[in-house]
Amino acid sequence: LVASFGFAVAQTGSSTVNGTVQDSLGAAISGAKVTLKNSDKNFSREATSDAAGNFVFNVVPPDSYTIEVEKSGFKKNVVSDVKALTDNRVTVSVSLEIGQVTEVVNVSASAAENIINTQDASLGNNFISQQIIQLPLNARNVGNLLSLQPAVTSSGYVAGGRSDQANLTIDGLDANDQQDGTAFSPVIRVSPDTIEEFRVTTVNANSTQGRSSGAQVGFITKSGSNTFHGNLFEYHRNTVTTANDFFNNRSGVKRPKLIRNNFGGSLGGPIIKDRFFFFYNYEGRRDAKGTSVVRTVPLASLGRGEVKFFATNGQLITLTAAQINGLTTTGTASGVPVVDVNPAALAVLASAAQRYPSNDNTIGDLQNTGGYRFNQAQPVKLGAHTTKLDFKLGEAHSFFARGNYQNDSAVTSQQFPDTPTIATWSHPKAMAVGYIWTKSSTFINDFRYGLTRVALSSQGDSAVNAVTFRQTFSDRAYARTFDQVTPVHNFTDNVNWRPISNHSFDLGTNIRIIRNKRTNFAPAFDNGVANHSFYAGAGSVLSTPVNASLPGLFSLPAGTAIRTDWVNNSRIALAQVIGRLSQYSAIFNFGLDGKPLTAGSPAVREFATEEADFYGQDVWRLGSNLTLTLGLRYGLSRPVYETQGFQTKPNVGLGDYLDKRIA
């Protein structure tokens, strides 16, 4: 049960405008005709002030309105620039002067007073279009403004609540990323030119809001009107204004490219005046950029089978392949010859040293391995389309439809200049439809349906088993492709009913059907590593015979050994030229029939859940300065399950299991 002083509106992306009509002495005026209008969008509703002079308009689309108040014996009062704010309640007090109704008094509402929430116990702020456009935004990402709220951290934690507990809606419908969503990351990217306003409720959300313990964030998409409005923009950033990296300069690598173009435009207006409106926006971004990357590579000497290190006497020692062979145990195992230094491993190391000659000394031991620095291209291509249609079928029926589509791609990494890139692409889609039935000024039904569909892929750079030389060389990053498709169907319905003037009831539901299909190639391939740590004694078996033979091989004083700070480096180099896969992981996947899948086959899973919320709320106005909000919300979230049957559950009770473990 939620009880709070103030007002509440359902989180359907709508607003409530209420107020009081009084005379010049502060006495309530009943029976006054109150009209809420927006001529540019042909919106008009009427109400009559009650015995206490109160009036209210519920389920009002967020926008700027004019309020006209008329009463026989008084001058007509017109209040302009009334801001109806999303998920908020705006109060306007109107004072009538004695006179003829044909006389008009014009008043402009204070924009500052409208923006500041003084009518609700919930904490948070509204951001209107003017603020969104004028405040500086990195990469024009409106989500960054969310962190400007009190009690909100830059990573999205709100008043101690986890970032992934935030609830994001666009036009009153779910916009959460169900995979790894955070407070600032709706499924569809929101830009300044598409958002009319938004509100962040940090704490004290009412029963009509939210489905989680975190912040409630409601975005509203712009709409068209009877007047054509549009814009075009282009932002350009060029490499000319950037400096080269210090390490690039030292390694003789040129300045990486950085050319960014952010561009787009919007247009909104009437299709049929007063009835049918449209709004369209496109925003694109192109980055031609690079970043300095350094990889560990073998030196040419290691490719010849030579291992270098410093001895305790300070001398740089070079072990040849022949000397290393003399230190190892030769012979046969099960009739198979045991090779000492591995020619196949040397061939890989020699080829790597030739293709990627060391030009950087920030990594590697600089005797056996070094760094190879290069500028890796990281092009970015982003595009986002937003369309919204609004249609009025008489005064009682209004509809809207919105569509969003993004087409994004970006290169994120590359092992070497001549190897495949690692890239991501994302093509999320969203649609929303809404129908508001204003049966009367006391009964309004608001139904909405939305679909968001995440479609993304992390494109790997290899589809073969991985073979790597630990801390020396890897010809690929061996990143594997991962695909995800997550459709979310969202149904909401809110009924606002005012049977008597001082009670306003909200009854509603919010239903979400969530699916998450994943195709993962990460567990599809084996991997082997020439790893010094996987030899006996964490690799000491590699360095022990060297220490024992070092004085005799190089005519050094007895007791001369590998210098302490070079023991690990020598073990790494020895493991590489010996070239054994001392660490190996074999991965097997099975189908539902228990049979193993073909090597290289991905793991395909589809997870699902369903969530349903039901709420009821009464806003009970006890007086002009006291309102009691009573609400009850019930939410049911089904535990996530796998739809294809790839799910296990224990067939032994936990108590029995513990008893057996104890025994």
Side-chain angles (χ1 to χ4, degrees), residues 312-622:
T312 51
N313 66 346
Q315 182 177 342
L316 177 63
I317 303 296
T318 301
L319 286 178
T320 65
Q323 290 172 324
I324 295 171
N325 287 341
L327 299 176
T328 60
T329 302
T330 59
T332 61
S334 302
V336 179
V338 176
V339 180
D340 303 311
V341 171
N342 189 337
L346 294 186
V348 173
L349 297 173
S351 174
Q354 183 179 13
R355 291 165 60 190
Y356 316 118
S358 177
N359 60 2
D360 184 275
N361 61 3
T362 60
I363 58 175
D365 65 15
L366 307 185
Q367 298 300 327
N368 304 289
T369 59
Y372 177 75
R373 186 176 291 275
F374 65 98
N375 287 332
Q376 182 228 313
Q378 292 185 328
V380 174
K381 181 180 180 181
L382 308 179
H385 303 264
T386 301
T387 301
K388 189 177 183 185
L389 302 174
D390 294 89
F391 181 64
K392 286 182 62 66
L393 185 61
E395 296 301 322
H397 306 279
S398 61
F399 305 85
F400 82 84
R402 169 181 51 81
N404 304 80
Y405 175 69
Q406 281 179 216
N407 187 350
D408 300 343
S409 63
V411 172
T412 58
S413 183
Q414 187 177 21
Q415 190 69 3
F416 289 102
D418 58 351
T419 61
T421 58
I422 301 171
T424 62
W425 64 258
S426 176
H427 296 170
K429 302 175 183 177
M431 63 164 289
V433 294
Y435 165 52
I436 299 177
W437 175 35
T438 309
K439 182 181 179 182
S440 66
S441 61
T442 60
F443 187 95
I444 302 174
N445 186 80
D446 186 350
F447 170 80
R448 304 191 183 199
Y449 163 74
L451 167 66
T452 61
R453 183 181 182 274
V454 171
L456 63 85
S457 178
S458 297
Q459 299 289 316
D461 68 344
S462 60
V464 295
N465 295 330
V467 177
T468 59
F469 297 80
R470 185 186 175 197
Q471 295 180 280
T472 299
F473 179 68
S474 177
D475 65 331
R476 298 286 191 276
Y478 290 104
R480 310 303 189 181
T481 297
F482 172 82
D483 301 326
Q484 174 194 332
V485 177
T486 307
V488 178
H489 298 270
N490 186 204
F491 302 86
T492 70
D493 191 74
N494 183 80
V495 176
N496 180 265
W497 179 44
R498 289 192 299 116
I500 52 179
S501 61
N502 61 342
H503 284 273
S504 180
F505 294 98
D506 280 295
L507 299 172
T509 184
N510 190 325
I511 298 172
R512 294 165 297 278
I513 302 172
I514 303 167
R515 297 294 182 266
N516 185 330
K517 186 172 183 179
R518 303 148 60 89
T519 302
N520 189 3
F521 282 89
F525 303 99
D526 299 349
N527 64 82
V529 185
N531 187 354
H532 65 284
S533 295
F534 272 60
Y535 280 87
S540 63
V541 69
L542 296 171
S543 55
T544 298
V546 175
N547 284 333
S549 304
L550 201 57
L553 285 175
F554 296 96
S555 301
L556 297 174
T560 304
I562 303 171
R563 203 168 72 188
T564 303
D565 60 332
W566 270 84
V567 170
N568 194 59
N569 289 336
S570 67
R571 292 174 180 176
I572 293 171
L574 285 165
Q576 311 314 309
V577 298
I578 291 173
R580 306 299 192 272
L581 297 183
S582 53
Q583 176 187 353
Y584 191 87
S585 299
I587 300 176
F588 302 91
N589 288 308
F590 297 84
L592 289 173
D593 57 3
K595 297 180 180 179
L597 301 180
T598 305
S601 299
V604 180
R605 301 290 184 268
E606 183 179 47
F607 300 98
T609 186
E610 294 83 36
E611 302 172 345
D613 294 80
F614 306 92
Y615 61 84
Q617 184 167 274
D618 176 22
V619 179
W620 181 13
R621 185 156 187 167
L622 298 172

Side-chain angles (χ1 to χ4, degrees), residues 117 122 143 188 214 234 237 270 333 355 376 390 403 413 499 539 580 583 644 649 661:
N117 175 28
S122 62
I188 294 295
E234 158 75 21
R237 178 177 178 176
R355 291 165 60 190
Q376 182 228 313
D390 294 89
S413 183
R580 306 299 192 272
Q583 176 187 353
Q644 303 171 91
K649 62 180 180 180
R661 291 291 296 166

